[in-house]
């Protein structure tokens, strides 16, 4: 369906309306909670009211006696199946249902299966749990204190809350530069705990067929194949009997990568009752128990010359991982890709050290469009550059321009071991400054300040490393991060593409068809994209870390090229010439030097399935498969400028303008790319100004509903002003870099830098997010507070 | 208790629990899963439907309250095989990504255009400010509503039978 004539679909890359919209605008999407099976039962989870407590007893008698209850499952039940604990994606363990202790408020304690949603909830009230409260570790900065309560006493020999120490870069060289630097600045920078909060919460429908032994699970998952393998390992079921379906997903943002206890409980519930079981969490459960993001307590230091050449950056991080180390990230990277903290600058040396600790908070850490912790890294370096600008009384845009990597330095080997693939950073920053009218804005700011108005201009420049990743370095729980694609071309020249990644709104059904169209000249409308069903798609690690286009998009281009080469052989047979004598133009092979002699893909497809005689050893048909193992990550980047007005009386921040120039390499569908950026910019405004999950001293979650966890609405968001530069990735088959997380990574610093800039007349150099009216007002008073704890 | 509710022009009579929420009635009892549920606190608007031609958050209304009244949902926007301009606008302007907020957004947009056929950008933003979208940053939703306004939303206006004093969405 085309709503407008002027937007005819391209055969290949270009703006094109989305194929998936046809169902969504009619209310005909199929999300997990829309799945209804005959005889289906409903599950609900009983959760801990305490952050840390020993479980003395659980009495499920009254719940079991409820006339509509079919099963009550506790940690003790699971223990008999060896399922009370499950592996996390970081080689730790996590309780499915608590047996010994509860370790965070909202932790799963029991699971009820009943005939309807409401009865399942009613029955939760009938379960009697006796808790013996324990002192809780809430402030991460005290997690390693001698005598701190040991959270993970389930782990043999564990006597503290330490998880890991990890470092990157050259400590000695960095220290030496700091010791001799003309200027050094340091700042404590907190990236507080936030939550991706997709509009659809997490849920599952599990259907175990006792007779065939087949388990089908509809799940809100971004990684259906990885889940299938994990379920096989956890539940001891044969993997070929497990089918994971990730149907339409109402947003993921990294919150739907891991396996949650609710999924496991739904599966056990179905096995126990012999009926399909649906479990869908409510919003409080979502915010309090599923993957949070960030919670990085960072100390950043910059060494520079007096005229503003940045020489070195040193970072120390205390990482709060919650009660179980369940972050979803490549095995060798316990702090994700945080070591990209050198950002977009040409340094002499850099070093970071990260220490991970347990606290009595929900597990998680890698979520919310963070590109494996690059959000934290980009925020830190971009905040620190502004701290340096403050110290040197330099213009933040000029200071960045002075230090940005130059185009001729690419490919660039960073001081912490990354190889940036391509970029022209100064051009992108210049374009953002031109769109914003940077010089005029500074003049306006001066005039506003003279009138006593607080206007701020914030700049950020980010570089991401996405598309994880090369198999030899990157895996999740031992599963290499390569992705498969299969392309079938039917006799009539229409095709079916099966991909290992799935969509939570990114529009894969459209863009992946466009990749095939670009490579084969078959219109996108004629390519059906199948995704999100492990029985129908090849193995791959899923959609997160902006990896779909860099990895699976590459797999798609490669598989289409394989089909094209097969088509060449068939065309040669049809034309009775040597395949080497054929040339390709989009959609057609023709005889070199005789363009009229050619065959279209439609003609070739039919011939490939016909009796046309093919050379010895050539099978018929055109279908092909591919597994793509990326040679390197891709490095999208961008320059953002934010303009804010601050009310000095209330501390309220209004975002007046936001300019974003992104370079994500080749754009498959610019409309979808812009949409991804819009969404990420709203995330940045939200995190910078409103969003935080904090805790009181007892470990009560203070961000457990949308009344407390504030998300930006249309009124807090300005009309985004976008620009683009295109620097293709040299190693990606179509030169694309991925964009899904760019704006979420790059925008918070621009907003915070703008607010701090607005507060310059008060001498403010830093205040932690979120810059709520209370925080801004306190910053004006010279005493910003710690946003991870209850305000004191 | 027995209730009779007209949904998208069809009358349904069902025995329901008095506490049953309208959103669950629509989704679980009638199988109209186009309207979504996204929060516990009436903040997100994924559940917006019309109750007697006024947008309401159906997670915050009881099914019983809809008895004898008319409910309109996203499934009723398309009339005689003809998409509503609001639906077309959302497609044309990429006003949706995951699609979870979309039905609620479109129901509010339809109501806005019925009462203000040519809303300014700010008026559109205010109209949808009780609803959350996590994907689009709102930009293209605003453009979609403006698109619908420019492409015949006014002609699709149905005569207002009740003029409500308050909008709860
Ligand atoms: S479900 Fe969130 S407002 Fe109704
Ligand atoms: S499109 Fe995903 S929440 Fe709006």
């Amino acid at each position: 369906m085309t709503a407008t004539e002027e937007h005819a679909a391209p055969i290949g890359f270009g703006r094109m309306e989305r194929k998936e919209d046809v169902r969504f605008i009619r209310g005909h999407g199929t999300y997990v909670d829309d799945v209804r099976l005959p005889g289906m039962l409903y599950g609900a989870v009983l959760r801990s009211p305490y952050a840390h407590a020993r479980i003395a007893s659980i009495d499920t008698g009254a719940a079991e006696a409820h006339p509509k209850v079919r099963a009550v499952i506790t940690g003790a039940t699971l223990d008999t199946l060896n399922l009370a604990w499950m592996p996390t994606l970081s080689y730790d363990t996590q309780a499915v249902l608590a047996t010994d202790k509860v370790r965070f408020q909202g932790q799963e304690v029991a699971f009820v299966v009943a005939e309807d949603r409401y009865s399942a909830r009613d029955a939760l009230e009938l379960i009697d749990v006796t808790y013996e409260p324990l002192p809780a570790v809430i402030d991460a900065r005290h997690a390693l204190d001698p005598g701190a309560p040991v959270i993970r006493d389930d782990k043999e020999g564990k006597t503290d809350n330490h998880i890991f120490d990890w470092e990157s870069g050259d400590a000695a060289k960095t220290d030496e530069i700091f010791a001799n630097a003309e200027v050094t600045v340091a700042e404590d920078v907190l990236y507080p705990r936030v939550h991706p909060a997709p509009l659809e919460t997490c849920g599952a429908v599990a259907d175990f067929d006792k007779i065939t032994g087949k388990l089908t699970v509809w799940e809100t998952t971004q990684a259906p194949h990885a889940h299938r393998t994990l379920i096989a390992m956890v539940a001891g079921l044969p993997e070929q009997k497990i089918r994971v379906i990730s149907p339409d997903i109402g947003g993921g943002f990294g919150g739907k990568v891991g396996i949650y206890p609710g999924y496991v409980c739904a599966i056990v519930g179905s096995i126990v009752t012999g009926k399909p079981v649906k479990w869908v969490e409510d919003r409080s459960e979502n915010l309090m128990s599923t993957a949070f993001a960030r919670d990085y307590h960072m100390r950043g230091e910059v060494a520079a010359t007096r005229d503003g050449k940045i020489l070195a950056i040193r970072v120390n991080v205390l990482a709060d991982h919650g009660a179980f180390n369940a972050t979803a990230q490549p095995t060798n990277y316990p702090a994700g890709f945080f070591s990209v903290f050198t950002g977009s600058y040409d340094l002499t040396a850099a070093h970071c050290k990260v220490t991970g600790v347990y606290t009595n908070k929900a597990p998680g850490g890698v979520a919310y469009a963070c590109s494996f912790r690059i959000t934290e890294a980009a925020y830190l370096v971009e905040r620190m550059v502004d701290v340096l600008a403050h110290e040197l009384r330099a213009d933040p845009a000029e200071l960045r321009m002075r230090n940005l990597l130059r185009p001729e330095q690419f490919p660039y080997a960073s001081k912490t071991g990354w190889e940036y693939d391509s970029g022209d950073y100064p051009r992108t920053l210049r374009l953002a400054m031109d769109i914003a009218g940077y010089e005029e804005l500074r003049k306006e700011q001066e005039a506003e300040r003279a009138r006593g108005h607080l206007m701020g201009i914030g700049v950020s420049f980010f570089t991401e490393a996405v598309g994880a990743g090369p198999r030899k370095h990157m895996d999740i729980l031992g599963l290499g991060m390569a992705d498969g694609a299969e392309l079938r071309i039917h006799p009539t020249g229409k095709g079916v593409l099966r991909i290992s990644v799935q969509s939570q709104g990114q529009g894969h059904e459209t863009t992946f068809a466009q990749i095939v169209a670009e490579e084969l000249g078959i219109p996108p409308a004629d390519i059906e994209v199948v995704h999100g069903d492990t029985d129908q798609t090849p193995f791959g690690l899923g959609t997160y870390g902006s990896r779909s286009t860099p990895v699976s998009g590459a797999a798609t281009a490669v598989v289409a090229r394989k089909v094209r080469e097969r088509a060449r052989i068939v065309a040669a047979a049809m034309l009775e010439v040597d395949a080497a004598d054929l040339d390709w133009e989009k959609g057609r092979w023709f005889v070199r030097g005789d363009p009229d002699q050619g065959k279209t893909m439609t003609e070739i497809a039919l011939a490939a399935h016909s009796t046309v005689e093919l050379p010895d050893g050539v099978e018929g048909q055109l279908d092909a498969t591919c597994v793509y193992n990326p040679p390197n990550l891709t490095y999208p980047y961008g320059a953002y400028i934010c303009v804010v007005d601050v009310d000095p009386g209330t501390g309220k921040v209004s975002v007046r303008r936001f300019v974003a120039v992104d370079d994500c390499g080749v754009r498959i569908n610019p409309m979808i790319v812009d949409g991804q950026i819009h969404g990420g910019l709203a995330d940045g405004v939200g995190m910078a100004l409103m969003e935080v999950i904090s805790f009181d001293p007892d470990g009560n979650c203070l961000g457990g509903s949308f009344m407390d966890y504030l998300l930006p609405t249309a009124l807090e968001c300005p009309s985004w002003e976008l620009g683009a530069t295109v620097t293709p990735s040299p190693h990606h088959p179509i030169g694309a870099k991925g964009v899904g997380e760019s704006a979420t990574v790059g925008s918070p610093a621009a907003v915070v830098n703008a607010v701090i800039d607005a507060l310059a007349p008060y001498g403010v150099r830093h205040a932690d997010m979120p810059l709520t009216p209370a925080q801004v007002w306190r910053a004006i008073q010279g005493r910003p507070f710690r946003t991870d704890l209850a305000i004191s | 208790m027995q209730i009779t509710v007209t949904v998208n022009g069809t009358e349904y009579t069902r025995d329901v629990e008095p506490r049953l929420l309208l959103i669950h009635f629509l989704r679980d009892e009638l199988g109209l899963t186009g309207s979504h549920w996204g929060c516990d606190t009436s903040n997100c608007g994924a559940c917006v439907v019309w109750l007697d031609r006024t947008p309401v958050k159906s997670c915050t209304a009881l099914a019983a309250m809809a008895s004898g009244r008319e409910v309109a949902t996203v499934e009723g926007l398309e009339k005689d095989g003809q998409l509503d301009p609001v639906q077309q606008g959302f497609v044309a302007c990429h006003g949706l990504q995951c699609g979870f907020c979309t039905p609620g957004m479109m129901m509010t947009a339809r109501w806005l255009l019925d009462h203000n056929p040519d809303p300014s950008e700010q008026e559109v933003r205010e109209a949808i400010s009780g609803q959350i979208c996590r994907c689009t940053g709102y930009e293209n939703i605003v453009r979609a509503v403006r698109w619908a306004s420019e492409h015949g939303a006014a002609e699709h206006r149905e005569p207002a039978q009740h003029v409500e004093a308050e909008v709860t969405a």
Side-chain angles (χ1 to χ4, degrees):
Chain A
M1 183 205 62
T2 300
T4 47
E5 292 291 314
E6 69 260 35
H7 295 138
I11 299 179
F13 299 161
R15 188 190 198 280
M16 174 186 158
E17 290 174 0
R18 298 200 320 169
K19 293 165 53 148
E20 38 275 88
D21 290 355
V22 174
R23 60 179 186 274
F24 291 136
I25 53 151
R26 291 175 168 87
H28 281 218
T30 304
Y31 302 87
V32 166
D33 199 14
D34 301 343
V35 172
R36 284 212 295 180
L37 303 176
M40 189 172 78
L41 304 173
Y42 293 81
V45 174
L46 181 72
R47 292 176 185 276
S48 165
Y50 293 103
H52 201 192
R54 198 160 296 288
I55 297 176
S57 65
I58 304 180
D59 181 354
T60 58
E64 275 157 30
H66 186 292
K68 293 201 168 163
V69 166
R70 298 288 192 88
V72 181
I73 297 162
T74 63
T77 329
L78 294 182
D79 225 4
T80 62
L81 305 165
N82 207 18
L83 275 177
W85 292 80
M86 63 179 182
T88 71
L89 297 182
S90 289
Y91 286 100
D92 194 1
T93 49
Q94 173 174 358
V96 177
L97 293 174
T99 47
D100 52 343
K101 289 201 304 190
V102 287
R103 293 173 169 84
F104 68 93
Q105 187 188 46
Q107 188 182 336
E108 299 77 2
V109 173
F111 188 74
V112 167
V113 181
E115 284 168 26
D116 61 81
R117 275 179 215 272
Y118 290 23
S119 299
R121 289 273 165 171
D122 288 345
L124 294 184
E125 307 284 326
L126 302 175
I127 299 175
D128 194 7
V129 185
T130 310
Y131 294 99
E132 291 162 2
L134 299 165
V137 179
I138 299 307
D139 185 346
R141 295 177 203 181
H142 292 296
L144 298 179
D145 285 356
V150 177
I151 298 166
R152 296 301 302 277
D153 48 358
D154 57 292
K155 292 164 89 82
E156 225 176 281
K158 191 80 186 141
T159 54
D160 60 19
N161 296 311
H162 181 263
I163 306 176
F164 66 86
D165 284 313
W166 181 80
E167 57 187 305
S168 178
D170 187 335
K173 197 163 171 198
T174 306
D175 290 349
E176 189 190 316
I177 290 171
F178 269 87
N180 300 310
E182 292 172 8
V183 182
T184 61
V185 288
E187 191 65 69
D188 288 316
V189 176
L190 168 70
Y191 206 136
R193 180 175 279 238
V194 289
H195 196 283
L199 201 54
E200 176 200 38
T201 60
C202 295
V205 177
D207 184 15
F208 182 70
D209 185 324
K210 273 205 162 95
I211 295 166
T212 63
K214 178 101 181 179
L215 172 69
T216 307
V217 196
W218 288 259
E219 263 188 21
T220 50
T221 173
Q222 299 175 227
H225 291 279
H227 276 213
R228 183 189 68 198
T229 304
L230 267 151
I231 290 168
M233 289 171 170
V234 174
L237 296 169
E239 194 170 357
Q240 82 280 10
K241 292 285 191 185
I242 303 171
R243 178 183 185 189
V244 175
I245 300 172
S246 176
D248 291 324
I249 301 293
F253 318 112
K256 292 171 178 169
V257 176
I259 295 213
Y260 295 120
Y263 302 160
V264 179
C265 288
I267 292 168
V268 174
S270 181
I271 293 173
V272 167
T273 61
K275 300 277 183 198
V277 172
K278 176 186 281 186
W279 164 76
V280 177
E281 67 187 1
D282 67 26
R283 180 56 62 186
S284 293
E285 297 180 282
N286 175 253
L287 290 170
M288 290 172 68
S289 75
T290 61
F292 75 91
R294 333 288 189 241
D295 221 341
Y296 258 34
H297 302 244
M298 304 178 278
R299 180 164 182 81
E301 296 173 89
V302 179
T305 62
R306 194 156 305 286
D307 63 352
K309 175 80 185 91
I310 301 173
L311 301 173
I313 301 180
R314 190 161 59 191
V315 186
N316 266 286
V317 181
L318 179 66
D320 183 340
H321 280 230
F324 308 101
N325 185 22
T327 69
Q329 66 208 349
T331 303
N332 297 332
Y333 299 82
F337 299 166
F338 182 81
S339 63
V340 184
F341 71 89
T342 58
S344 317
Y345 307 107
D346 185 17
L347 307 181
T348 310
H351 180 252
C352 75
K353 181 167 180 274
V354 182
T355 297
V357 296
Y358 291 118
T359 59
N360 287 114
K361 301 177 191 172
V366 169
Y368 208 166
C370 72
S371 296
F372 298 120
R373 303 277 191 195
I374 296 178
T375 342
E376 291 93 323
Y379 176 66
L380 178 81
V381 62
E382 289 309 294
R383 196 72 274 288
M384 290 312 298
V385 171
D386 263 38
V387 168
L388 179 66
H390 185 273
E391 177 75 18
L392 298 174
R393 301 188 186 287
D395 179 272
E398 274 170 31
L399 185 62
R400 284 179 172 79
M401 203 55 110
R402 156 111 220 248
N403 287 286
L404 285 177
L405 293 168
R406 295 179 311 281
E408 62 274 16
Q409 289 177 282
F410 290 89
Y412 171 75
S414 92
K415 295 295 180 282
T416 47
W418 304 88
E419 188 180 299
Y420 295 12
D421 57 353
S422 63
D424 184 346
Y425 292 180
R427 183 166 68 119
T428 304
L429 178 55
R430 188 67 250 170
L431 179 58
M433 290 169 72
D434 289 347
I435 294 173
Y438 187 76
E439 284 77 16
E440 295 84 72
L441 281 172
R442 283 292 172 201
K443 282 188 202 130
E444 184 189 346
Q445 182 184 38
E446 216 171 295
E448 289 281 351
R449 276 189 185 154
R451 279 200 294 275
H453 290 180
L454 299 179
M455 168 184 170
I457 305 159
V459 182
S460 78
F461 197 104
F462 68 92
T463 298
E464 278 210 278
V466 306
R471 284 182 68 209
K472 65 171 186 263
H473 306 306
M474 293 177 191
D475 67 274
I476 289 187
L477 275 189
L479 302 170
M481 300 186 80
D483 277 67
E486 292 174 14
L487 181 57
R488 296 182 191 170
I489 303 295
H490 295 328
T492 54
K494 319 279 183 193
V496 177
L497 173 73
R498 296 166 188 276
I499 52 175
S500 57
V501 294
Q502 60 79 249
S503 167
Q504 311 108 46
Q506 295 90 338
H508 290 166
E509 290 165 36
T510 307
T511 47
F512 281 71
Q514 287 185 269
I515 296 173
V516 174
E518 181 75 23
E519 298 295 336
L520 295 180
I522 299 173
D526 292 345
I527 303 292
E528 189 81 1
V529 177
V530 178
H531 61 120
D533 179 344
T534 58
D535 268 9
Q536 295 199 56
T537 56
F539 189 87
L541 276 232
T543 299
Y544 44 86
S546 298
R547 66 189 299 282
S548 283
T549 299
V551 187
S552 218
T556 299
V558 170
V559 82
R561 286 172 194 177
K562 283 189 181 179
V563 166
R564 196 164 73 199
E565 284 309 307
R566 293 177 72 100
R568 178 184 206 152
I569 296 167
V570 176
M574 293 167 78
L575 295 162
E576 295 179 355
V577 296
D578 194 306
D581 294 333
L582 294 181
D583 273 344
W584 170 259
E585 65 181 350
K586 205 186 258 186
R588 179 173 179 272
W589 283 107
F590 64 92
V591 179
R592 191 168 308 126
D594 187 4
D596 291 346
Q597 287 288 325
K599 294 289 176 192
T600 64
M601 276 303 293
T602 313
E603 292 165 331
I604 298 168
L606 191 57
H609 292 82
S610 74
T611 56
V612 168
E613 201 172 324
L614 297 171
D616 280 352
V618 176
E619 307 145 349
Q621 307 180 4
L622 297 175
D623 306 352
T625 66
C626 153
V627 177
Y628 187 78
N629 175 25
N632 186 9
L633 302 177
T634 54
Y635 294 76
Y637 58 93
Y640 292 174
I641 297 175
C642 176
V643 184
V644 301
D645 297 292
V646 177
D647 182 331
T650 62
K652 182 175 184 296
V653 176
S654 307
V655 180
R656 190 203 298 180
R657 288 181 65 197
F658 201 110
V659 173
V661 179
D662 275 87
D663 193 321
C664 55
V666 170
R667 296 178 171 216
I668 298 160
N669 185 329
M671 174 190 87
I672 287 179
V673 170
D674 285 354
Q676 295 285 298
I677 294 166
H678 289 157
L681 296 176
D683 291 346
V685 166
M687 289 182 285
L689 302 181
M690 314 162 75
E691 299 176 31
V692 65
I693 300 219
S694 56
F695 294 84
D696 76 6
D698 295 328
N700 291 305
C701 176
L702 304 179
S705 80
F706 281 166
M707 302 277 239
D708 305 301
Y709 190 75
L710 304 181
L711 295 167
T713 72
L715 289 179
E716 284 79 42
C717 294
S719 183
W720 315 109
E721 301 170 61
L722 304 191
T725 58
V726 176
T727 312
S729 168
H731 65 76
H732 188 276
I734 58 171
K737 289 188 170 186
V739 73
E741 302 172 319
S742 287
T744 314
V745 167
S747 59
V751 181
V752 172
N753 287 347
V755 176
I756 301 298
D757 183 52
L759 302 183
Y762 297 97
V764 176
R765 192 171 86 161
H766 178 72
D768 284 325
M769 299 187 280
L771 297 167
T772 56
Q775 175 71 320
V776 170
W777 193 82
R778 285 270 296 253
I780 288 174
Q781 314 298 313
R783 46 191 190 102
F785 51 79
R786 270 183 67 180
T787 50
D788 56 328
L789 304 175
I791 300 176
S792 55
Chain B
M1 64 185 291
Q2 195 180 68
I3 62 171
T4 299
V5 186
T6 303
V7 183
N8 301 327
T10 306
E11 204 176 275
Y12 299 89
T13 299
R14 292 285 188 283
D15 267 321
V16 301
E17 282 193 64
R19 61 175 173 170
L20 183 70
L21 297 175
L22 179 56
I23 182 68
H24 289 143
F25 175 73
L26 295 170
R27 291 179 50 82
D28 295 348
E29 296 289 327
L30 305 186
L32 294 170
T33 53
S35 308
H36 300 136
W37 169 92
C39 73
D40 321 322
T41 47
S42 302
N43 288 100
C44 79
C47 60
V48 168
V49 302
W50 290 6
L51 187 55
D52 285 347
R53 294 174 180 274
T54 302
V56 297
K57 287 175 169 166
S58 62
C59 68
T60 314
L62 297 170
M65 290 159 69
S67 194
R69 299 170 74 181
E70 283 185 30
V71 173
T73 71
V74 62
E75 286 92 345
L77 272 181
E78 185 177 6
K79 299 245 160 49
D80 305 322
Q82 181 65 38
L83 288 176
D84 190 279
V86 167
Q87 292 172 301
Q88 294 179 42
F90 270 71
V91 177
C93 300
H94 189 31
L96 66 154
Q97 290 180 28
C98 78
F100 207 73
C101 70
T102 313
M105 289 287 183
M106 291 195 303
M107 293 311 287
T108 300
R110 179 69 257 158
W111 184 91
L112 172 70
L113 294 173
D114 283 350
H115 294 78
N116 179 0
D118 186 21
S120 67
E121 180 193 325
Q122 186 60 20
E123 285 171 329
V124 175
R125 286 181 184 272
E126 277 164 19
I128 60 170
S129 65
Q131 289 165 251
I132 288 169
C133 174
R134 296 293 290 140
C135 301
T136 65
Y138 305 101
E139 180 78 29
N140 288 345
I141 295 179
V142 174
R143 288 186 200 170
V145 180
R146 291 283 320 141
W147 187 100
S149 160
E150 284 155 21
H151 290 76
E155 292 98 78
H156 282 251
R157 179 172 181 170
E158 290 169 78
Q161 291 173 1
H162 321 267
V163 179
E164 279 72 25
E166 69 183 309
V167 188
T168 47

